[in-house]
Amino acid sequence: MKRLESLSPEPVWRCFEAICQVPRPSKKEGLIREFLLSFAKNHGLAAATDEIGNVLIKKPASKGKESVPTVILQAHMDMVCEKNSDTVHDFGKDPIRPYIDGDWVTAEGTTLGADDGIGIAAGLAVLTDASLIHGPLECLFTVDEETALTGAKGIKPGFISGKLLINLDSEDEGQLFIGCCGGLDTTAFFDYTPSNPKSDYFPVKISVKGLKGGHSGDDINKGRGNANKVLARFLWDASKKYDLQLASFDGGNLSNAIAREATAVFLIPQKDKENITADFNVYRSDVEYELELTDAGIKLSLESTAMPAKVLDPASQKNLLYALYACRHGVVAESFRMPGMVETSTNLASVKFTGKNRITVATTQRSDLKSAKLDIANQIESLFVLAGAEVSHSEGYPGWTPNPESEIMKITRDAYVRLFGNEPAIKSIHAGLECGLFLEKYPELDMVSFGPTLRGVHSPDEKIEIKSVQKFWDLLVETIKAIAVK
């Protein structure tokens, strides 16, 4: 198999391939932290960690450039750990297996971790580039970005010293980001009384697979199916027609990913077996047609299964199915301040039977506007409270308000034009970058975010466009040089 380091720019791909060998789930960044500290030591660079686990590596300025403003290159250490159901992989100890697939690099059955492994790799490549003329550099690598933004929340004043920050965690080459949305999680808890299944009923398993999933912010407006919504819709309708007894519902995994797969087990009277099969075939055809332009890979199946030990009591079943069916998912509002961008959204992320006689439903809300973020979160809370659930909200994280007069944005834009002969798009991203949290501790920061083209992030379809990595690298180097000679 062709090695990634055969690709260009070689230093970036070599570093990325090495990073893929290091397990780095969120909240378990110990191995990647050791890798980064060893990297700094092996290259004679000063490095430090803070009490939360972030890593800072410093590179002195080129000779004569000591007075140039310090530039911070920032990426996060952790990756989303998702795999196909038929893939055997332990994210805590197994390396990611990247491979070249035409014009892209992807992984074997798992997330690739280019979000944000390619940002780490670019930062390390800059640190080892002896030919680059630059001022003082600081590479900040944060922990737990994907689940709780713990590293950005926990960073303390004084850990970094630069006033210019380049965030290396964007996913569309040709776009410069100068803002992002804020977000929070809303979680509902249903308690139920288990009942004995009726022995003369027929046990059935329904599955939803093959959906693209993706990032619950950046991909929320792409019309992709949500496995939880697809499954809840059928079960709600079936429960209205038949004496359905729900035994289990398992869908989605991560709050920041659109659910790709979901399964449920339920019982149906023997006399209704043929009718529900006919209903299912009609439903499958309807959903496949609805998604044929945006998520054509969907696969729905209905099959007999083993008799479950318990089922939900009727009241809890009704509350759960009605709430899941009514729960909003997708774009809530488009932005009028930045036309073409999503302003507010919500994601029905996961449904799990957790603990003893408890069901946990995880959702995520995002918005450029703090008031709108809280409003949609409160709407979701209201729905689940009316359905009898307990509801809690996470602390959330702030947005990053766009600054059209940003100096580093202008420098980066000019560098892009010099290199490629056309203007980049200046945007705010409907995803949570760490920049908003940095501003709370370092309000003087001037920031821009850019990266290569990634697709299918937060899913096993994740891939990175090879040619865009070269442009990403060229822009990063040109921007750093431009700051040094300004």
Side-chain angles (χ1 to χ4, degrees):
M1 185 178 293
K2 194 175 181 182
R3 297 287 299 272
L4 299 191
E5 63 183 22
S6 66
L7 301 173
S8 182
E10 184 272 337
V12 176
W13 287 111
R14 174 167 36 83
C15 289
F16 180 69
E17 193 160 30
I19 290 164
C20 286
Q21 308 309 303
V22 185
R24 49 192 179 95
S26 300
K27 300 187 185 298
K28 297 180 180 179
E29 296 93 350
L31 293 176
I32 188 65
R33 184 181 303 110
E34 291 176 9
F35 172 88
L36 293 170
L37 293 174
S38 295
F39 182 95
K41 182 178 180 181
N42 292 338
H43 291 87
L45 300 170
T49 59
D50 63 9
E51 60 187 41
I52 208 72
N54 299 318
V55 172
L56 185 69
I57 303 177
K58 297 183 178 182
K59 183 179 183 181
S62 302
K63 186 175 181 180
K65 300 297 180 181
E66 293 82 3
S67 61
V68 168
T70 298
V71 175
I72 304 163
L73 307 181
Q74 188 267 321
H76 62 84
M77 295 184 223
D78 60 320
M79 64 173 283
V80 168
C81 298
E82 280 277 270
K83 65 183 184 68
N84 291 323
S85 57
D86 59 352
T87 298
V88 178
H89 189 91
D90 184 342
F91 284 99
K93 63 180 181 181
D94 295 338
I96 300 299
R97 299 184 295 274
Y99 67 95
I100 301 168
D101 183 14
D103 296 329
W104 302 80
V105 170
T106 189
E108 297 179 14
T110 70
T111 38
L112 174 63
D115 174 16
D116 187 25
I118 198 67
I120 301 174
L124 297 183
V126 166
L127 291 174
T128 57
D129 188 344
S131 66
L132 178 61
I133 303 299
H134 59 85
L137 296 175
E138 297 181 342
C139 283
L140 173 64
F141 304 110
T142 51
V143 298
D144 196 26
E145 187 270 351
E146 296 290 4
T147 61
L149 294 159
T150 304
K153 288 178 180 177
I155 193 171
K156 292 185 176 179
F159 189 60
I160 54 177
S161 64
K163 302 286 192 299
L164 303 176
L165 186 146
I166 302 174
N167 172 272
L168 306 174
D169 190 24
S170 295
E171 300 162 5
D172 293 280
E173 192 284 318
Q175 300 181 10
L176 307 182
F177 294 96
I178 58 170
C180 70
C181 67
L184 59 80
D185 297 332
T186 301
T187 307
F189 304 95
F190 289 89
D191 292 317
Y192 67 93
T193 302
S195 302
N196 293 322
K198 296 180 179 180
S199 59
D200 58 340
Y201 275 39
F202 186 70
V204 181
K205 179 181 179 181
I206 181 172
S207 300
V208 181
K209 295 183 178 181
L211 292 169
K212 294 178 181 178
H215 194 290
S216 62
D218 203 34
D219 294 321
I220 201 71
N221 63 339
K222 295 177 181 175
R224 297 179 180 177
N226 180 310
N228 292 323
K229 294 296 294 181
V230 172
L231 192 56
R233 177 177 163 188
F234 177 81
L235 293 171
W236 180 88
D237 186 62
S239 71
K240 297 273 287 184
K241 293 181 178 181
Y242 309 109
D243 184 23
L244 182 148
Q245 293 186 309
L246 184 65
S248 65
F249 192 126
D250 185 353
N253 289 305
L254 302 170
S255 62
N256 54 7
I258 300 169
R260 299 179 300 110
E261 299 180 346
T263 61
V265 172
F266 62 91
L267 305 181
I268 201 77
Q270 292 280 352
K271 65 182 177 65
D272 293 321
K273 286 168 54 178
E274 292 185 4
N275 289 334
I276 200 166
T277 299
D279 290 347
F280 171 78
N281 288 334
V282 171
Y283 179 68
R284 177 173 58 190
S285 178
D286 287 343
V287 172
E288 288 175 349
Y289 181 72
E290 291 171 11
L291 295 176
E292 70 175 356
L293 300 181
T294 57
D295 217 340
I298 186 171
K299 295 179 176 62
L300 288 87
S301 63
L302 190 72
E303 58 188 341
S304 62
T305 190
M307 180 66 73
K310 298 290 182 180
V311 296
L312 274 68
D313 64 278
S316 297
Q317 174 181 303
K318 182 176 181 180
N319 286 341
L320 176 67
L321 293 182
Y322 273 63
L324 293 179
Y325 186 40
C327 184
R328 297 183 71 172
H329 168 82
V331 175
V332 175
E334 297 282 350
S335 175
F336 288 98
R337 291 172 175 80
M338 297 197 75
M341 303 297 294
V342 177
E343 177 201 273
T344 306
S345 71
T346 184
N347 174 44
L348 178 55
S350 68
V351 183
K352 301 288 184 183
F353 278 54
T354 56
K356 187 175 181 180
N357 306 333
R358 171 160 277 208
I359 303 165
T360 301
V361 180
T363 74
T364 298
Q365 292 74 49
R366 302 175 187 267
S367 184
D368 292 341
L369 305 177
K370 181 179 180 181
S371 58
K373 176 184 71 176
L374 296 175
D375 179 47
I376 186 58
N378 290 336
Q379 289 183 46
I380 299 299
E381 175 188 357
S382 298
L383 166 68
F384 283 110
V385 168
L386 287 172
E390 299 176 17
V391 177
S392 67
H393 299 286
S394 69
E395 180 183 356
Y397 54 90
W400 168 25
T401 303
N403 173 18
E405 301 304 315
S406 163
E407 185 64 21
I408 194 169
M409 179 273 288
K410 293 177 181 178
I411 293 172
T412 307
R413 180 191 61 201
D414 292 346
Y416 193 94
V417 173
R418 284 196 302 276
L419 287 169
F420 309 121
N422 58 287
E423 287 275 350
I426 310 298
K427 292 188 173 185
S428 177
I429 189 171
H430 192 68
L433 298 174
E434 294 160 288
C435 299
L437 287 161
F438 295 146
L439 282 175
E440 290 187 331
K441 309 290 179 63
Y442 298 88
E444 72 282 3
L445 279 176
D446 186 13
M447 301 181 289
V448 68
S449 178
F450 58 87
T453 297
L454 278 66
R455 293 293 178 262
V457 295
H458 296 188
S459 83
D461 295 327
E462 182 184 3
K463 59 184 179 179
I464 183 169
E465 188 181 34
I466 294 169
K467 67 179 181 181
S468 71
V469 176
Q470 182 68 62
K471 296 183 74 174
F472 166 53
W473 171 249
D474 290 343
L475 180 60
L476 180 59
V477 169
E478 183 70 14
T479 301
I480 292 170
K481 288 167 55 179
I483 294 170
V485 299
K486 185 174 174 61

